[in-house]
Amino acid sequence: MTEPLLSVKDLRTYFSTEEGIVRAVDGISFDLMPGERLGVVGESGSGKSVTAMSIMRLVEPPAGEIVTGTVTYHGRNLLAITEDEMRAVRGGQIAMIFQDPMTSLNPVYTVGDQLIETIMLHQDVNKRDARNVAAQALSDVQIPNAADRLDDYPHQFSGGMRQRVMIAMGLSCNPEVLIADEPTTALDVTTQAQIMDLMLRLAADRGTAVILITHDLGVVAGFCDNVQVMYAGGIVERGSNDDIFYRPQHPYTWGLLGSMTRLDEEQQVRLHSIRGAPPSVIDLPDGCRFRPRCDFATDRCAQELPLLRKIEGRGEVACHHAEELDLEITRAVGAAG
Amino acid sequence: MFAYVIRRLVYGAVTLLALSMVVFWLLQKTGASPLDRLKLNPRIQPDYLASLTERYGLDKSGPEQYWIWLKRFVTPREASIGGLPSILAISAGVAYSVLASRFIKSRQFAVRIAKIGAGVLIWGFVLFTVWNRMNIVLDWGDSFRGDGPVFEDITLAAGASFRLGMTALFLAVMIGIPLGIYQATKQYSFFDQLGTTFSFVAFSTPIFIIGVFLQLGLGLYLERWTGVKLFYVAGMTSSSYESFTTLQRAGDILQHLALPAISIAAISLAGYSRFQRASMLEVLHSDYLRTAKAKGLPRRRVILKHALRNAMIPIVTLISLDIASIIGGAIITESIFGWPGVGRLYIDAINAVDYPAIMAVVMAIGAGIVVMNIVADILYGVLDPRVRYE
Amino acid sequence: MEEFEGMAVEPVTQWQLFSTRLRRHRLAMVSGVILLLIGLIALAAPLFTCPNNEPECGRLLPHPTDQLAEPDGRLATTIAPRGDYPFGTDEVGRDVLSRVVHGGRASLIVGVVTGLMVAIMGSIVGAFAGYYPGAIDQGLMRFTDLILGLPLLPVAIVVGRLLPELTFVPEFMTSGPWGIAILLGSLLWGGLARIVRAEFLSLREKEFVEAARAAGANDRRIIFRHILPNAMSPIIVQTTLIVGAAIIIEAALSFLGFGVRPPTPTWGGMAAAGAGIAPRGLWWELAFSASALIITVLSVNFLGDGLRDALDPTQTIERK
């Protein structure tokens, strides 16, 4: 078995607010293999973005703080190296693209300036070569007249085009890992599909490992090899694409799938919704965090926090009743259908 | 841009016209003729009054008097722009502006800077040429107080006011903006809290109180208690100024300039630092700054390159709006510190209800504000590529 | 609302949100109380002060003219602060405490009247300009630009100087705070008009306005009943700022001698007189009038700051 490219162990990131300590990410561990495309799915506030920001060490003190954990990358713990060493990793080896392309580019510099800046920061090239690299990066993301458009300002691009620029910027230094935080959420559906196609092809061609953060299961289905589902700062289920979509084990995953429109089912299927709202990550319930919203909760769920465990022939799940629930979930899905 | 400046100048002229009408009308509605005050002065001869009546059309109706005033106000008594060299210079300036705005379309920052920079240089040269060769004397009337032509008074006083106002603006910008930026990067620190408190108090203190307290504290009592004369509390230069060496002169000017300039600067400075802090905070929390950090840029470069320029854009508007209040502040400060500027001229004219002087000074102040606002707007466009002058 | 896991979820109204947010802003609350006190004292001032040593005034403190002798028997007009004259007396022997208390009336009249005028004129002009695009908008905004283009202080100074002599101005406006208040009110509304117009431009397109129109509401009702209440936050905040500015400008005019005329006491006028005698070591008239002015304006501005924080619905709880 190959070594993981990136290995996260027991990561905890807390924020202090007026109301109390927010445990945004509370003890998660996962590995990312070279070239793997990993989906991280969850509702807003589940800690998926904070996970990404923690890996990049972009969580800003004093409000946010990485309390414990290690992020091992090429034998080094990214959380322990100096800021200067980390800067070489950021953008160069691990790149990140963000949700809102409309606001993620600096409005007062041309996209060329911003691309060239990144390239010259991480590669030993002169300005003219950097410009060529930048033009190539733009044409790789299928922006027409790439060389000319380097001199345009972000406001002269449409939303989809700006996200292409962001992708070009992220991939311009050939990183080993690309973290994409809700890259298509702010875009319309057609553009979404084009952008995801583009990312898939670019990542596959270059063998870039991708962590795709999204709340949209539909996006994950076509893109990822493996998926992990986050809820209230923890991972509740993990597995291959098939595991998650065809053999979900956690009631929360099941709920998420149920609330998704599917084109391959009969039209009169009623959409399921998970009752209640995600818990405030300040006053987390004891035991299983999903318990207050779970139809299958028992006394044990109220007392004991379920840990992630492997189920034979399936993925990993953090639920005490995964085996017993199996039938019921199937039945419930049937009942809902 | 050229067309934009022209249009702004036209708007400014309309505003000035309205201003002159309002003030002229008010002066006519005081129920007393401008001559009534002069008649009280036994030394003034009746034939002087008659000549004034004829010159200003004081026996005619209000609108006719205004028309006479306006015609006289805009018609130069002597005017020459300095012959062929000036005409050539002006044509060159206009030609550059028209051609540049038509043919240089690139939005790249360097090109924009070069284009506007060249425009500023060329127009600077034009103004320099014309200024040295021209001879324009406008007939803005004679002061009723017998000080001679008001136009000469104003050109003299304008220099003094410009010196004071620019020093104050310089102080406010050079202290206020870095202060606000520093506060934002150290949000909620002790220094930040201190700065916020200071700016709130300064913002709520009328300028005359600051002026009077500086005059008493740093001027009068400092000297009385320590025997050191650090600052002068009145005037622009000492009486023995002419006999000083260059170095002494510079020192003398600074000693006179310091207190009134600080008075004017204090309030603007408070406003700038508050505003700059807020705008910097907004930028620091922006998505594109996160992008810059995620690219691996050093924090210094993130702030100096990516944050500063964005954070400075909105404050240019504030400064342009603030110019009127700096000029207003200068009126009050000049009268406290006996600074021989346009503001004090204005207060003196108003106290004496000196009609030609009031009209002339109010127009000069209004014109100053119009021009400064246009300059600030052009600066705004240089900083922000999204702005287009249409 | 629904009951969830035994927790009843109470609906929270805008007003409740506003008052909780405002109460959290301690400085704004204190400022509000101070302003209320200053207002009450100024209102009641004629009952217990005699700013000009009127012989028949209802002053509770001993009358200045009886007490002009210093302890050493020397006759003095200007008395330093002491037991019976906590703020001392001015150059002509008038009680500074009485005058400071009385001087608040001018400042408050100017603050309140100017604020009201600005709020009303700015809202109406801005509302019509924002609601009726085209000629009405163009005309109103050109006029607004013209008013905003006028140099404020120079115009205020010349009008303030001429006020007592203007033939068409009614008697009550000529030398007191009312004239200054109305003058400032008619010069300062431009900024608010622009803000209200911008609000109207965006609110005009909102669904609730469509709904009101569909329900048959006429324009006037839509403007004043449906849109204006939604534009209230910026109006209130901007008006508070104007109140502070108006108080400062009135004080400056009175300081220069073009505002409220003597013998009516004003803080600006007292500061001018106090500044004249301060070089002789007679500091109190300047100190007390200046302090009164600064405390009042500071309170108005703190209150405005608190109101802005409390009224801005986009603000989240994290922001301090």
Side-chain angles (χ1 to χ4, degrees):
Chain A
M1 196 176 166
T2 46
E3 283 286 294
L5 182 59
L6 190 77
S7 176
V8 176
K9 288 273 174 308
D10 193 34
L11 181 70
R12 288 170 203 269
T13 305
Y14 296 171
F15 290 84
S16 46
T17 66
E18 277 179 19
E19 278 76 25
I21 304 284
V22 173
R23 292 186 280 170
V25 174
D26 204 15
I28 66 167
S29 307
F30 64 90
D31 290 339
L32 181 73
M33 293 296 161
E36 177 185 355
R37 289 187 297 276
L38 173 67
V40 179
V41 183
E43 290 166 291
S44 46
S46 59
K48 50 197 193 318
S49 289
V50 178
T51 307
M53 298 297 273
S54 303
I55 295 172
M56 293 293 277
R57 258 176 57 183
L58 288 174
V59 177
E60 292 270 314
E65 200 193 346
I66 300 174
V67 187
T68 61
T70 57
V71 177
T72 314
Y73 175 73
H74 287 301
R76 290 188 302 174
N77 177 7
L78 294 186
L79 302 183
I81 60 180
T82 66
E83 180 63 26
D84 281 345
E85 290 171 318
M86 185 63 209
R87 277 210 328 273
V89 174
R90 250 184 236 142
Q93 288 156 295
I94 305 181
M96 185 159 177
I97 57 183
F98 298 97
Q99 176 169 355
D100 192 349
M102 304 310 274
T103 56
S104 291
L105 288 164
N106 193 331
V108 300
Y109 294 105
T110 60
V111 300
D113 275 342
Q114 300 181 54
L115 271 163
I116 292 167
E117 180 181 39
T118 320
I119 293 161
M120 290 183 68
L121 194 66
H122 296 291
Q123 296 173 21
D124 189 22
V125 290
N126 63 26
K127 184 131 193 195
R128 184 179 306 163
D129 292 341
R131 198 180 156 86
N132 291 335
V133 176
Q136 185 57 44
L138 274 197
S139 73
D140 284 350
V141 293
Q142 295 167 3
I143 290 180
N145 304 326
D148 294 338
R149 301 225 66 185
L150 283 177
D151 291 330
D152 282 346
Y153 286 90
H155 69 270
Q156 292 164 293
F157 289 82
S158 68
M161 283 293 167
R162 280 190 224 185
Q163 195 59 294
R164 285 169 197 258
V165 173
M166 287 298 293
I167 294 170
M169 203 187 294
L171 294 176
S172 61
C173 298
N174 292 314
E176 285 186 302
V177 182
L178 178 70
I179 303 179
D181 186 358
E182 309 248 7
T184 58
T185 308
L187 306 172
D188 64 75
V189 184
T190 331
T191 321
Q192 259 184 29
Q194 291 169 352
I195 296 283
M196 288 317 296
D197 265 5
L198 182 70
M199 275 181 56
L200 183 63
R201 215 173 39 248
L202 289 173
D205 286 354
R206 299 163 190 225
T208 314
V210 180
I211 301 179
L212 175 72
I213 294 168
T214 181
H215 63 266
D216 186 348
L217 285 167
V219 170
V220 171
F223 186 84
C224 295
D225 309 319
N226 296 305
V227 183
Q228 56 191 24
V229 181
M230 283 189 75
Y231 184 80
I235 296 171
V236 293
E237 181 160 9
R238 170 159 63 209
S240 70
N241 226 344
D242 286 355
D243 287 337
I244 298 294
F245 284 95
Y246 295 108
R247 297 180 290 277
Q249 306 181 79
H250 197 281
Y252 176 66
T253 315
W254 170 75
L256 276 185
L257 288 168
S259 54
M260 187 180 136
T261 28
R262 297 187 57 160
L263 296 175
D264 54 356
E265 278 179 9
E266 293 282 318
Q267 276 304 300
Q268 56 268 55
V269 171
R270 273 192 65 188
L271 284 181
H272 173 81
S273 65
I274 306 172
R275 67 191 169 95
S280 144
V281 264
I282 296 164
D283 313 303
L284 286 173
D286 288 336
C288 178
R289 287 166 195 160
F290 187 62
R291 177 184 52 83
R293 301 169 74 185
C294 183
D295 292 326
F296 314 102
T298 60
D299 286 348
R300 188 178 170 208
C301 300
Q303 275 141 27
E304 201 182 321
L305 179 70
L307 299 172
L308 211 56
R309 60 202 170 95
K310 173 84 180 151
I311 306 283
E312 201 42 48
R314 295 164 175 249
E316 292 168 84
V317 65
C319 177
H320 295 307
H321 306 292
E323 290 90 347
E324 309 132 51
L325 281 181
D326 188 30
L327 254 178
E328 293 183 54
I329 287 178
T330 322
R331 210 181 58 220
V333 173
Chain B
M1 166 109 96
F2 187 58
Y4 172 80
V5 172
I6 298 291
R7 202 175 55 237
R8 284 291 303 267
L9 282 172
V10 172
Y11 282 153
V14 172
T15 307
L16 289 179
L17 207 63
L19 175 66
S20 70
M21 283 182 195
V22 169
V23 177
F24 201 90
W25 176 72
L26 283 171
L27 286 170
Q28 295 209 321
K29 288 291 174 186
T30 52
S33 150
L35 299 181
D36 288 354
R37 274 166 225 279
L38 295 179
K39 282 179 193 150
L40 298 175
N41 187 340
R43 284 184 306 163
I44 287 179
Q45 304 297 318
D47 52 335
Y48 177 64
L49 294 181
S51 78
L52 282 183
T53 307
E54 204 232 338
R55 188 159 165 224
Y56 294 105
L58 294 179
D59 47 354
K60 301 211 171 75
S61 72
E64 279 176 291
Q65 285 186 39
Y66 177 74
W67 182 241
I68 290 172
W69 172 84
L70 186 66
K71 250 193 336 204
R72 188 187 293 281
F73 192 79
V74 297
T75 317
R77 192 182 280 171
E78 295 167 32
S80 73
I81 55 165
L84 196 62
S86 293
I87 294 173
L88 283 178
I90 293 173
S91 336
V94 172
Y96 171 77
S97 296
V98 171
L99 292 177
S101 62
R102 172 142 308 193
F103 294 112
I104 306 179
K105 291 283 186 203
S106 169
R107 314 282 300 159
Q108 215 182 337
F109 189 68
V111 177
R112 287 162 61 84
I113 289 285
K115 173 175 149 188
I116 293 166
V120 169
L121 276 181
I122 292 175
W123 275 106
F125 171 73
V126 171
L127 287 182
F128 179 77
T129 313
V130 175
W131 186 261
N132 275 332
R133 299 176 159 270
M134 73 169 184
N135 176 32
I136 293 181
V137 179
L138 289 167
D139 183 4
W140 284 4
D142 290 335
S143 162
F144 280 0
R145 287 164 295 153
D147 306 344
V150 182
F151 184 72
E152 283 175 23
D153 292 348
I154 289 181
T155 44
L156 271 180
S161 285
F162 194 73
R163 181 188 288 183
L164 178 61
M166 278 300 143
T167 312
L169 184 64
F170 179 78
L171 281 179
V173 169
M174 294 316 275
I175 300 174
I177 293 180
L179 189 69
I181 288 170
Y182 187 74
Q183 275 180 264
T185 55
K186 300 259 183 275
Q187 198 186 4
Y188 301 139
S189 66
F190 172 74
F191 184 84
D192 180 31
Q193 312 267 6
L194 194 74
T196 307
T197 313
F198 158 76
S199 52
F200 234 107
V201 173
F203 200 68
S204 305
T205 307
I207 193 165
F208 62 85
I209 289 182
I210 297 179
V212 163
F213 272 81
L214 284 178
Q215 192 175 40
L216 289 171
L218 289 182
L220 215 64
Y221 280 96
L222 185 75
E223 190 194 354
R224 211 171 274 178
W225 289 334
T226 63
V228 185
K229 188 161 193 66
L230 211 53
F231 304 109
Y232 289 92
V233 294
M236 192 160 76
T237 48
S238 302
S239 50
S240 47
Y241 180 76
E242 293 303 324
S243 64
F244 286 169
T245 62
T246 318
L247 201 67
Q248 280 175 318
R249 285 183 179 186
D252 189 56
I253 289 175
L254 279 182
Q255 280 180 300
H256 282 86
L257 192 58
L259 295 184
I262 294 172
S263 312
I264 301 174
I267 291 169
S268 298
L269 189 158
Y272 296 175
S273 71
R274 245 171 92 71
F275 191 84
Q276 184 64 68
R277 175 180 180 273
S279 107
M280 185 73 179
L281 278 178
E282 201 180 311
V283 171
L284 284 179
H285 292 135
S286 68
D287 289 348
Y288 54 82
L289 229 67
R290 191 180 54 184
T291 308
K293 283 182 239 164
K295 291 201 295 198
L297 288 176
R299 180 178 158 83
R300 233 181 111 72
R301 194 131 142 238
V302 169
I303 287 179
L304 291 183
K305 184 177 173 191
H306 286 267
L308 266 191
R309 201 134 124 232
N310 283 286
M312 302 267 274
I313 292 169
I315 199 159
V316 177
T317 324
L318 183 73
I319 293 174
S320 103
L321 290 174
D322 193 59
I323 282 164
S325 81
I326 284 191
I327 291 178
I331 296 178
I332 297 171
T333 319
E334 283 177 7
S335 80
I336 293 174
F337 287 94
W339 190 266
V342 179
R344 209 181 58 156
L345 207 61
Y346 190 53
I347 299 286
D348 290 348
I350 289 209
N351 267 322
V353 200
D354 183 345
Y355 286 64
I358 291 177
M359 287 306 296
V361 179
V362 95
M363 296 304 283
I365 295 174
I369 294 177
V370 166
V371 171
M372 297 299 243
N373 281 342
I374 295 177
V375 170
D377 273 0
I378 292 174
L379 213 64
Y380 188 77
V382 175
L383 284 171
D384 190 345
R386 286 163 295 185
V387 172
R388 303 199 119 171
Y389 299 101
E390 266 142 23
Chain C
M1 258 183 94
E2 75 184 298
E3 186 155 302
F4 174 66
E5 283 291 302
M7 295 181 296
V9 186
E10 294 258 330
V12 185
T13 63
Q14 263 323 103
W15 171 251
Q16 281 170 316
L17 268 178
F18 165 71
S19 59
T20 12
R21 286 211 206 97
L22 189 62
R23 254 181 274 129
R24 207 164 41 205
H25 216 286
R26 227 172 297 129
L27 214 49
M29 293 305 289
V30 173
S31 301
V33 172
I34 289 177
L35 281 179
L36 212 63
L37 278 178
I38 293 175
L40 285 177
I41 293 173
L43 268 182
L47 298 177
F48 63 96
T49 61
C50 40
N52 292 309
N53 293 356
E54 299 85 347
E56 71 285 356
C57 75
R59 189 175 188 277
L60 298 173
L61 299 164
H63 203 285
T65 43
D66 309 335
Q67 305 269 333
L68 288 183
E70 291 277 9
D72 60 2
R74 194 164 51 85
L75 213 61
T77 45
T78 313
I79 302 168
R82 62 184 205 206
D84 50 349
Y85 298 108
F87 286 10
T89 62
D90 71 3
E91 206 176 12
V92 290
R94 293 176 297 193
D95 177 31
V96 171
L97 176 59
S98 274
R99 290 179 67 76
V100 166
V101 169
H102 215 92
R105 292 171 70 85
S107 292
L108 289 172
I109 288 174
V110 169
V112 171
V113 173
T114 305
L116 281 178
M117 274 183 72
V118 166
I120 293 170
M121 290 172 67
S123 303
I124 290 179
V125 171
F128 279 94
Y131 190 77
Y132 296 106
I136 294 183
D137 181 22
Q138 284 290 315
L140 286 175
M141 286 334 278
R142 283 281 154 274
F143 182 57
T144 308
D145 287 346
L146 203 65
I147 296 287
L148 280 171
L150 292 179
L152 176 67
L153 201 67
V155 171
I157 285 175
V158 70
V159 180
R161 169 67 180 85
L162 298 178
L163 259 182
E165 298 174 26
L166 292 176
T167 46
F168 63 92
V169 171
E171 184 69 28
F172 79 100
M173 279 172 58
T174 50
S175 65
W178 292 95
I180 302 294
I182 292 168
L183 163 68
L184 294 182
S186 34
L187 286 175
L188 287 170
W189 55 268
L192 180 63
R194 273 195 185 166
I195 294 172
V196 173
R197 173 175 175 268
E199 287 285 314
F200 265 67
L201 280 180
S202 74
L203 289 172
R204 191 177 63 189
E205 310 297 335
K206 289 275 156 68
E207 291 79 1
F208 69 88
V209 176
E210 287 300 318
R213 202 172 285 134
N218 60 17
D219 282 358
R220 213 182 60 196
R221 198 176 159 78
I222 290 175
I223 291 176
F224 292 107
R225 278 307 192 75
H226 293 278
I227 306 186
L228 199 59
N230 282 291
M232 244 17 228
S233 302
I235 294 178
I236 291 173
V237 172
Q238 179 70 11
T239 304
T240 323
L241 286 178
I242 292 288
V243 169
I247 293 175
I248 286 185
I249 298 172
E250 181 277 323
L253 289 178
S254 298
F255 177 85
L256 293 171
F258 306 132
V260 179
R261 300 300 201 272
T264 312
T266 57
W267 293 336
M270 292 175 71
I277 58 174
R280 287 189 273 144
L282 314 175
W283 51 269
W284 44 91
E285 189 180 11
L286 174 64
F288 289 116
S289 55
S291 313
L293 196 49
I294 295 175
I295 289 172
T296 307
V297 179
L298 206 55
S299 303
V300 172
N301 285 345
F302 274 136
L303 186 65
D305 207 45
L307 284 174
R308 187 179 50 218
D309 284 354
L311 283 170
D312 189 348
T314 60
Q315 264 179 5
T316 47
I317 307 160
E318 299 109 68
R319 188 165 174 273
K320 221 175 128 186

